[in-house]
């Protein structure tokens, strides 16, 4: 079960709304959604959570690049909405590398067999091969820990959030009352 909400700062305080992510397929789509909710290019926070598994906060300030924090990257990686937040840059990967590899695999038969031949199996990995998987997603928090620092939530507080993180974030940024209206 997912929940997503937008908190948009205005000159009168915060405005909150729950939001559907059905049409959101990329971080760019999510950023555009946040910018549409922005008044005079003020700060917008997008909060996404998968119940009891992970949550993410995306901060959009005008035309600046979005700033992202995810509470558990490995749990988010198993989620379609979480995958949107986990950028190559956050994961330390070469941008677009996964897409390039997938495209090459589609163009070329990389298993080394001829059409009609049975597929050969790869030799078993050596037991002492402890090289980390470059595509592995780290467990635990990832992203910009200071994403909410100037709004009233320190890095330490963000790292300690567990259940009902949205209520604590809304309280820290001064939007608890408006958030209750959409929760």
């Amino acid at each position: 079960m997912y929940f997503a909400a937008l908190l948009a700062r205005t000159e009168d305080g915060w405005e909150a709304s729950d939001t559907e992510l059905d049409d959101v397929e990329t971080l760019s789509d999510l950023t555009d959604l946040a910018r549409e909710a922005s008044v005079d290019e003020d700060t917008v926070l997008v909060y996404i959570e998968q119940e009891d598994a992970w949550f993410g906060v995306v901060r959009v300030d005008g035309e600046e690049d979005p700033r992202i924090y995810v509470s558990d990257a490995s749990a988010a990686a198993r989620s379609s909405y979480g995958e949107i937040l986990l950028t190559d840059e956050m994961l330390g990967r070469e941008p677009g590398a996964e897409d390039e590899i997938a495209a090459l695999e589609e163009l070329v038969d990389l298993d080394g067999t001829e059409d009609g031949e049975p597929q050969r199996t790869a030799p078993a990995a050596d037991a002492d091969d402890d090289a980390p998987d470059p595509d592995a997603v780290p467990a635990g928090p990832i992203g910009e820990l200071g994403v909410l620092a100037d709004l009233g939530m320190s890095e330490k507080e963000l790292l300690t959030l567990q259940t009902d993180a949205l209520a604590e974030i809304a309280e820290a940024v001064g939007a608890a009352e408006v958030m209750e209206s959409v929760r």
Side-chain angles (χ1 to χ4, degrees):
M1 175 95 150
Y2 291 95
F3 176 76
L6 288 171
L7 281 172
R9 188 170 17 181
T10 69
E11 62 185 38
D12 299 326
W14 290 92
E15 291 181 7
S17 62
D18 60 342
T19 188
E20 288 295 320
L21 299 177
D22 294 340
D23 296 330
V24 174
E25 296 178 4
T26 65
L27 180 59
S28 180
D29 293 343
L30 187 62
T31 303
D32 290 345
L33 182 70
R35 287 189 177 123
E36 289 171 13
S38 176
V39 177
D40 298 326
E41 296 188 358
D42 282 332
T43 300
V44 176
L45 301 176
V46 180
Y47 177 87
I48 302 171
E49 77 176 17
Q50 182 178 2
E51 195 171 284
D52 297 328
W54 66 273
F55 71 89
V57 177
V58 178
R59 178 177 177 162
V60 179
D61 293 300
E63 292 299 316
E64 292 181 27
D65 288 340
R67 298 166 55 194
I68 305 165
Y69 171 79
V70 176
S71 66
D72 187 336
S74 62
R78 295 185 297 270
S79 154
S80 59
Y81 295 126
E83 285 180 336
I84 291 170
L85 304 181
L86 298 174
T87 65
D88 288 336
E89 183 180 341
M90 282 176 66
L91 297 172
R93 297 180 184 159
E94 188 68 36
E98 247 179 53
D99 296 336
E100 290 174 18
I101 292 169
L104 285 173
E105 287 175 348
E106 285 181 29
L107 293 173
V108 180
D109 181 14
L110 295 179
D111 68 1
T113 63
E114 296 292 326
D115 289 338
E117 279 185 32
Q119 213 172 16
R120 291 183 240 160
T121 57
D126 291 338
D128 59 352
D129 185 15
D130 292 333
D133 180 1
D135 293 330
V137 176
I142 192 168
E144 192 168 332
L145 294 174
V147 69
L148 301 172
D150 65 322
L151 298 175
M153 178 164 275
S154 72
E155 293 177 11
K156 182 179 178 183
E157 290 170 314
L158 188 60
L159 282 170
T160 60
L161 293 177
Q162 296 295 321
T163 59
D164 206 21
L166 177 58
E168 291 186 45
I169 291 170
E171 180 73 32
V173 302
E177 284 183 33
V178 295
M179 185 49 72
E180 282 302 312
S181 67
V182 299
R183 189 73 160 157

